[in-house]
Short mmCIF file of all heavy atoms in Angstrom, two decimals:
data_model
loop_
_atom_site.label_atom_id
_atom_site.label_comp_id
_atom_site.label_asym_id
_atom_site.label_seq_id
_atom_site.Cartn_x
_atom_site.Cartn_y
_atom_site.Cartn_z
N PRO A 19 15.60 -16.06 -1.63
CA PRO A 19 16.37 -14.90 -1.27
C PRO A 19 15.47 -13.77 -0.88
O PRO A 19 14.35 -13.57 -1.39
CB PRO A 19 17.11 -14.56 -2.59
CG PRO A 19 16.37 -15.20 -3.66
CD PRO A 19 15.76 -16.40 -3.11
N VAL A 20 15.92 -12.99 0.11
CA VAL A 20 15.14 -11.83 0.56
C VAL A 20 15.25 -10.68 -0.43
O VAL A 20 16.39 -10.31 -0.83
CB VAL A 20 15.56 -11.40 1.94
CG1 VAL A 20 14.80 -10.14 2.38
CG2 VAL A 20 15.42 -12.51 2.93
N LYS A 21 14.16 -10.14 -0.90
CA LYS A 21 14.23 -9.03 -1.88
C LYS A 21 14.53 -7.69 -1.12
O LYS A 21 14.07 -7.55 -0.01
CB LYS A 21 12.92 -8.89 -2.62
CG LYS A 21 12.59 -10.14 -3.48
CD LYS A 21 11.31 -9.93 -4.30
CE LYS A 21 11.04 -11.13 -5.19
NZ LYS A 21 9.84 -10.98 -6.00
N PRO A 22 15.33 -6.86 -1.74
CA PRO A 22 15.65 -5.61 -1.11
C PRO A 22 14.45 -4.71 -0.93
O PRO A 22 13.48 -4.78 -1.73
CB PRO A 22 16.66 -4.98 -2.10
CG PRO A 22 16.35 -5.61 -3.39
CD PRO A 22 15.98 -6.98 -3.11
N ALA A 23 14.43 -3.90 0.09
CA ALA A 23 13.29 -3.00 0.33
C ALA A 23 13.19 -2.00 -0.81
O ALA A 23 14.19 -1.53 -1.31
CB ALA A 23 13.52 -2.30 1.66
N PRO A 24 11.96 -1.74 -1.21
CA PRO A 24 11.80 -0.77 -2.24
C PRO A 24 12.17 0.69 -1.78
O PRO A 24 12.04 0.98 -0.62
CB PRO A 24 10.30 -0.77 -2.61
CG PRO A 24 9.64 -1.30 -1.31
CD PRO A 24 10.67 -2.25 -0.72
N ARG A 25 12.69 1.46 -2.70
CA ARG A 25 13.03 2.86 -2.42
C ARG A 25 11.88 3.81 -2.63
O ARG A 25 11.86 4.93 -2.15
CB ARG A 25 14.25 3.29 -3.17
CG ARG A 25 15.52 2.57 -2.78
CD ARG A 25 16.64 2.81 -3.79
NE ARG A 25 16.27 2.28 -5.14
CZ ARG A 25 17.02 2.39 -6.21
NH1 ARG A 25 18.17 3.04 -6.15
NH2 ARG A 25 16.64 1.84 -7.33
N SER A 26 10.90 3.39 -3.38
CA SER A 26 9.69 4.20 -3.61
C SER A 26 8.59 3.23 -4.06
O SER A 26 8.78 2.23 -4.75
CB SER A 26 9.93 5.23 -4.74
OG SER A 26 10.32 4.61 -5.92
N ILE A 27 7.33 3.60 -3.65
CA ILE A 27 6.14 2.80 -3.90
C ILE A 27 5.09 3.66 -4.44
O ILE A 27 4.78 4.71 -3.92
CB ILE A 27 5.69 2.10 -2.68
CG1 ILE A 27 6.76 1.19 -2.04
CG2 ILE A 27 4.42 1.27 -2.90
CD1 ILE A 27 6.43 0.63 -0.69
N CYS A 28 4.43 3.20 -5.52
CA CYS A 28 3.20 3.82 -6.04
C CYS A 28 2.08 2.85 -5.95
O CYS A 28 2.20 1.70 -6.31
CB CYS A 28 3.38 4.28 -7.46
SG CYS A 28 2.01 5.19 -8.20
N LEU A 29 0.99 3.36 -5.46
CA LEU A 29 -0.22 2.53 -5.27
C LEU A 29 -1.30 3.12 -6.19
O LEU A 29 -1.54 4.32 -6.22
CB LEU A 29 -0.65 2.52 -3.88
CG LEU A 29 -1.85 1.70 -3.37
CD1 LEU A 29 -1.67 1.37 -1.87
CD2 LEU A 29 -3.16 2.41 -3.56
N LEU A 30 -1.97 2.23 -6.98
CA LEU A 30 -3.02 2.75 -7.89
C LEU A 30 -4.29 2.09 -7.42
O LEU A 30 -4.55 0.86 -7.54
CB LEU A 30 -2.75 2.36 -9.33
CG LEU A 30 -3.84 2.65 -10.34
CD1 LEU A 30 -4.13 4.12 -10.41
CD2 LEU A 30 -3.58 2.03 -11.70
N ARG A 31 -5.19 2.92 -6.79
CA ARG A 31 -6.56 2.48 -6.42
C ARG A 31 -7.39 3.71 -6.52
O ARG A 31 -7.28 4.60 -5.66
CB ARG A 31 -6.63 1.85 -5.08
CG ARG A 31 -8.02 1.39 -4.66
CD ARG A 31 -8.50 0.18 -5.42
NE ARG A 31 -9.93 0.07 -5.54
CZ ARG A 31 -10.59 -0.98 -6.00
NH1 ARG A 31 -9.92 -2.11 -6.32
NH2 ARG A 31 -11.87 -0.94 -6.12
N LEU A 32 -8.23 3.82 -7.50
CA LEU A 32 -9.00 5.01 -7.77
C LEU A 32 -10.27 5.10 -6.99
O LEU A 32 -10.71 6.18 -6.53
CB LEU A 32 -9.30 5.16 -9.28
CG LEU A 32 -8.09 5.05 -10.20
CD1 LEU A 32 -8.59 5.11 -11.70
CD2 LEU A 32 -7.11 6.25 -9.96
N SER A 33 -10.99 4.02 -6.80
CA SER A 33 -12.31 4.02 -6.18
C SER A 33 -12.52 2.65 -5.54
O SER A 33 -11.82 1.69 -5.75
CB SER A 33 -13.36 4.29 -7.25
OG SER A 33 -13.34 3.30 -8.25
N ALA A 34 -13.49 2.55 -4.68
CA ALA A 34 -14.50 3.56 -4.25
C ALA A 34 -14.12 3.89 -2.79
O ALA A 34 -13.09 3.47 -2.30
CB ALA A 34 -15.88 3.07 -4.38
N LEU A 35 -15.05 4.60 -2.08
CA LEU A 35 -14.71 5.05 -0.72
C LEU A 35 -14.37 3.86 0.15
O LEU A 35 -13.36 3.85 0.94
CB LEU A 35 -15.89 5.83 -0.13
CG LEU A 35 -16.19 7.21 -0.77
CD1 LEU A 35 -17.40 7.77 -0.14
CD2 LEU A 35 -14.97 8.18 -0.54
N GLY A 36 -15.22 2.78 0.08
CA GLY A 36 -14.97 1.67 0.96
C GLY A 36 -13.66 0.94 0.66
O GLY A 36 -12.86 0.58 1.55
N ASP A 37 -13.32 0.83 -0.64
CA ASP A 37 -12.10 0.22 -1.01
C ASP A 37 -10.89 1.06 -0.71
O ASP A 37 -9.80 0.53 -0.44
CB ASP A 37 -12.11 -0.13 -2.52
CG ASP A 37 -13.07 -1.28 -2.83
OD1 ASP A 37 -13.23 -2.17 -1.91
OD2 ASP A 37 -13.59 -1.41 -3.91
N ALA A 38 -11.06 2.38 -0.68
CA ALA A 38 -9.99 3.24 -0.19
C ALA A 38 -9.68 2.98 1.25
O ALA A 38 -8.51 2.99 1.64
CB ALA A 38 -10.36 4.69 -0.45
N VAL A 39 -10.66 2.73 2.01
CA VAL A 39 -10.50 2.42 3.43
C VAL A 39 -9.80 1.08 3.55
O VAL A 39 -8.84 0.93 4.43
CB VAL A 39 -11.83 2.38 4.16
CG1 VAL A 39 -11.69 1.89 5.59
CG2 VAL A 39 -12.49 3.76 4.18
N HIS A 40 -10.17 0.12 2.78
CA HIS A 40 -9.43 -1.16 2.76
C HIS A 40 -7.94 -1.00 2.38
O HIS A 40 -7.08 -1.62 2.97
CB HIS A 40 -10.11 -2.16 1.82
CG HIS A 40 -11.47 -2.57 2.23
ND1 HIS A 40 -12.51 -2.75 1.32
CD2 HIS A 40 -12.05 -2.78 3.45
CE1 HIS A 40 -13.61 -3.08 1.95
NE2 HIS A 40 -13.36 -3.10 3.23
N ALA A 41 -7.76 -0.18 1.34
CA ALA A 41 -6.35 0.04 0.85
C ALA A 41 -5.59 0.75 1.89
O ALA A 41 -4.33 0.60 1.97
CB ALA A 41 -6.38 0.80 -0.47
N LEU A 42 -6.18 1.60 2.70
CA LEU A 42 -5.42 2.26 3.73
C LEU A 42 -4.80 1.32 4.75
O LEU A 42 -3.68 1.60 5.19
CB LEU A 42 -6.44 3.28 4.48
CG LEU A 42 -5.81 4.03 5.70
CD1 LEU A 42 -4.60 4.83 5.29
CD2 LEU A 42 -6.84 4.88 6.32
N ALA A 43 -5.47 0.21 4.99
CA ALA A 43 -4.90 -0.75 5.92
C ALA A 43 -3.60 -1.36 5.29
O ALA A 43 -2.57 -1.61 6.00
CB ALA A 43 -5.89 -1.90 6.17
N LEU A 44 -3.53 -1.53 4.01
CA LEU A 44 -2.32 -1.94 3.27
C LEU A 44 -1.25 -0.85 3.45
O LEU A 44 -0.11 -1.22 3.67
CB LEU A 44 -2.67 -2.24 1.83
CG LEU A 44 -1.39 -2.41 0.95
CD1 LEU A 44 -0.77 -3.75 1.20
CD2 LEU A 44 -1.82 -2.30 -0.56
N VAL A 45 -1.64 0.38 3.28
CA VAL A 45 -0.63 1.46 3.39
C VAL A 45 -0.01 1.46 4.81
O VAL A 45 1.16 1.67 4.89
CB VAL A 45 -1.30 2.80 3.13
CG1 VAL A 45 -0.44 4.00 3.50
CG2 VAL A 45 -1.68 2.92 1.61
N ARG A 46 -0.80 1.23 5.82
CA ARG A 46 -0.25 1.22 7.16
C ARG A 46 0.70 0.05 7.33
O ARG A 46 1.75 0.16 8.01
CB ARG A 46 -1.39 1.14 8.18
CG ARG A 46 -2.31 2.34 8.23
CD ARG A 46 -1.57 3.63 8.42
NE ARG A 46 -2.49 4.76 8.71
CZ ARG A 46 -2.05 6.06 8.60
NH1 ARG A 46 -0.77 6.35 8.30
NH2 ARG A 46 -2.92 7.01 8.87
N ASP A 47 0.41 -1.11 6.71
CA ASP A 47 1.39 -2.18 6.71
C ASP A 47 2.69 -1.78 6.04
O ASP A 47 3.79 -2.13 6.54
CB ASP A 47 0.78 -3.38 5.96
CG ASP A 47 -0.15 -4.21 6.82
OD1 ASP A 47 0.17 -4.55 7.91
OD2 ASP A 47 -1.27 -4.55 6.34
N LEU A 48 2.57 -1.09 4.85
CA LEU A 48 3.81 -0.71 4.15
C LEU A 48 4.59 0.30 4.99
O LEU A 48 5.83 0.23 5.05
CB LEU A 48 3.37 -0.02 2.89
CG LEU A 48 2.79 -0.97 1.78
CD1 LEU A 48 2.22 -0.13 0.60
CD2 LEU A 48 3.79 -2.01 1.31
N GLN A 49 3.91 1.19 5.69
CA GLN A 49 4.62 2.17 6.52
C GLN A 49 5.34 1.50 7.71
O GLN A 49 6.44 1.95 8.04
CB GLN A 49 3.66 3.24 6.99
CG GLN A 49 3.16 4.16 5.91
CD GLN A 49 2.10 5.18 6.36
OE1 GLN A 49 1.30 4.86 7.21
NE2 GLN A 49 2.19 6.37 5.83
N ARG A 50 4.73 0.46 8.23
CA ARG A 50 5.44 -0.24 9.31
C ARG A 50 6.64 -1.01 8.84
O ARG A 50 7.62 -1.07 9.42
CB ARG A 50 4.42 -1.24 9.98
CG ARG A 50 3.43 -0.58 10.89
CD ARG A 50 2.78 -1.68 11.82
NE ARG A 50 2.07 -2.71 11.05
CZ ARG A 50 0.78 -2.66 10.80
NH1 ARG A 50 0.03 -1.68 11.23
NH2 ARG A 50 0.21 -3.63 10.10
#
């Protein structure tokens, strides 16, 4: 079964700079 779209999302990634850049790619996927 297809899961319903979330109504709110929290992402926890504190560090580091490079990993924040990697996580940003995920954020862009979520926004799409």
Side-chain angles (χ1 to χ4, degrees):
V20 177
K21 294 184 178 180
R25 292 169 296 178
S26 59
I27 300 170
C28 183
L29 185 156
L30 173 64
R31 181 72 207 191
L32 304 177
S33 59
L35 293 174
D37 286 333
V39 173
H40 294 142
L42 176 57
L44 169 74
V45 168
R46 295 306 189 194
D47 278 311
L48 293 171
Q49 290 176 324
R50 285 197 298 265

